[in-house]
C-alpha cells in the first residue's frame, strides 16, 4: 500500500506542476490537469483513511 501511495503522490505532484506550467499558455488544459490532480488527491486521502498515514519520503 505504501508503494501505491508514493506513486499516487508522485502522479499528483506532476499533475499539479503541469497545471501550473500550462496556466500561462492554455487555461483549458491547465484546468483539466488540475481536475485530474484533484481526483488523484482524493484517492490518496481514501488510502490514508483506510490504511493510516504511513511515512512518505519526499522524492
Amino acid at each position: 500500500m505504501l508503494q501505491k501511495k508514493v506513486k499516487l503522490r508522485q502522479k499528483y505532484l506532476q499533475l499539479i506542476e503541469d497545471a501550473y506550467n500550462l496556466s500561462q499558455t492554455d487555461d483549458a488544459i491547465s484546468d483539466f490537469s488540475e481536475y485530474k490532480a484533484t481526483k488523484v488527491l482524493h484517492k490518496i486521502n481514501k488510502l490514508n483513511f483506510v490504511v493510516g498515514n504511513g511515512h512518505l519520503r519526499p522524492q
Side-chain angles (χ1 to χ4, degrees):
M1 284 292 179
L2 186 58
Q3 286 180 338
K4 185 173 183 173
K5 284 169 49 173
V6 169
K7 285 185 180 185
L8 284 172
R9 181 165 169 79
Q10 289 172 343
K11 184 175 180 178
Y12 170 76
L13 292 174
Q14 183 63 51
L15 287 166
I16 289 296
E17 183 179 348
D18 291 348
Y20 175 77
N21 291 336
L22 289 166
S23 67
Q24 300 298 317
T25 57
D26 192 335
D27 287 335
I29 297 175
S30 174
D31 290 347
F32 186 66
S33 183
E34 192 172 343
Y35 169 75
K36 290 193 308 187
T38 302
K39 290 184 68 114
V40 171
L41 183 59
H42 180 70
K43 288 180 185 180
I44 292 169
N45 288 335
K46 278 177 55 177
L47 276 175
N48 286 341
F49 180 76
V50 172
V51 296
N53 195 6
H55 297 289
L56 294 176
R57 292 178 292 166
Q59 305 236 348

